[in-house]
Amino acid sequence: MYHREIQTPRHLRVQLMMPLCLSAMLFSTTGIAADHDVATPAAGVIHAKMAYCQDCHGPSGQGYPGFSPIPRIGGQTIQYLEAQLKAFAESRRDANASTAMSSIHGPSEPMRAALAEHFSKLDPEPIADGPKELVAAGKKIYAEGVPTSNVPACSACHGPEAKGRAEIPGLAGQLYPYTVAQLEGWSTKRGNDLQNADMAAVMTPVAHAISHDQIAAVAAYLSYLK
Ligand code: HEC
Ligand code: HEC
């Protein structure tokens, strides 16, 4: 067994114990919950903004598959939703897809908090759009990783039921093409501000180790998971 410590410049500290998979982690995330004391927007303003988000993400935040998939955000953890909205607003995510995305996803901090809370409470049915024949292989990768190619068990961080915890997102029910696109393009899509490292760095080695076929399998499995 060896012990490895990954340390990123800011508020992140992740400790990984690995024999086969990652078994222990410690997060300290003081940077993320800052400035909560700004006034919360009026209910009507929040509702109008939600309707706008739902135009794309769906009425229950279930997402829409397709060529340019829109992710499921219903039932996601509050902390992850807030962190991603902040990452879009600060152009740390999707710098290529760009300014349009940053402005769509860049409301004020109190608005982001209200939207994150709203979407985290929804519980849409999974769209179940992945190739069925890959589900069994994906389930195994999710639970055990692929030790021969240094792919850790996803369950070690995302949880045995893929529900996530705090800044670690839930993956259950996520759309197949969205999960594939995120994992295939991880380093171009995330952590785009090199001076300001974020949680994306925790996933980078995983996204680099996992192969195209393994991504397809695990994404298929997740798309059916309630
Ligand atoms: C024009 C369509 C559109 C609108 C409007 C929109 N989104 Fe998105 N959203 C997307 C797309 C497309 C992505 C995926 C981006 C990518 O591929 O990284 C996304 C990604 C996200 C993510 C990241 C999800 C994840 O699992 O990492 C969150 C959170 C999110 N949107 C929340 C919102 C909220 C809240 C609103 C309303 C303020 C909103 N979106 C409005 C299209 C939209
Ligand atoms: C060491 C902990 C860790 C392990 C192991 C891990 N992840 Fe992650 N994963 C994370 C964190 C943290 C994030 C959030 C990154 C961010 O904020 O940008 C994440 C994000 C993701 C996302 C983006 C979700 C979204 O909604 O956009 C996907 C997809 C993902 N992981 C899949 C996997 C798969 C598949 C495996 C197993 C092969 C895995 N992860 C293993 C920590 C981990």
Side-chain angles (χ1 to χ4, degrees):
M1 190 211 275
Y2 75 95
H3 176 224
R4 190 169 59 151
E5 214 174 68
I6 295 177
Q7 219 164 341
T8 51
R10 239 162 112 238
H11 49 270
L12 264 184
R13 196 194 162 110
V14 180
Q15 232 184 24
L16 310 173
M17 300 281 299
M18 20 202 324
L20 274 187
C21 66
L22 306 154
S23 60
M25 309 189 317
L26 272 180
F27 286 165
S28 132
T29 55
T30 44
I32 290 175
D35 54 289
H36 263 293
D37 44 346
V38 187
T40 303
V45 180
I46 296 174
H47 277 106
K49 186 63 94 176
M50 266 168 206
Y52 169 68
C53 311
Q54 285 165 330
D55 280 347
C56 280
H57 289 277
S60 55
Q62 80 278 13
Y64 285 112
F67 177 70
S68 177
I70 300 180
R72 169 192 172 105
I73 56 173
Q76 186 52 275
T77 70
I78 296 188
Q79 295 91 333
Y80 176 75
L81 291 173
E82 278 200 72
Q84 295 311 303
L85 292 171
K86 192 161 190 258
F88 282 118
E90 295 175 354
S91 301
R92 276 181 281 116
R93 186 168 163 174
D94 267 335
N96 303 328
S98 203
T99 43
M101 225 41 169
S102 304
S103 62
I104 286 170
H105 292 109
S108 69
E109 197 283 330
M111 178 63 89
R112 295 198 297 260
L115 294 171
E117 189 182 355
H118 168 76
F119 283 106
S120 72
K121 288 183 180 147
L122 304 178
D123 186 20
E125 280 293 303
I127 289 184
D129 61 339
K132 271 210 167 94
E133 66 278 13
L134 302 179
V135 169
K139 183 175 184 183
K140 188 169 161 63
I141 295 169
Y142 187 86
E144 299 167 19
V146 187
T148 50
S149 22
N150 279 327
V151 175
C154 319
S155 59
C157 291
H158 293 278
E161 297 180 334
K163 298 288 185 208
R165 183 173 56 87
E167 280 82 14
I168 304 175
L171 305 173
Q174 188 52 274
L175 275 59
Y176 174 75
Y178 172 77
T179 302
V180 169
Q182 292 303 308
L183 293 172
E184 299 272 5
W186 193 264
S187 299
T188 56
K189 289 175 176 296
R190 310 256 183 159
N192 292 139
D193 180 355
L194 300 175
Q195 306 305 312
N196 189 4
D198 60 22
M199 291 295 273
V202 179
M203 253 308 284
T204 304
V206 184
H208 289 176
I210 192 168
S211 75
H212 184 77
D213 291 350
Q214 291 158 357
I215 288 175
V218 85
Y221 166 63
L222 293 168
S223 78
Y224 290 90
L225 208 60
K226 272 200 199 254

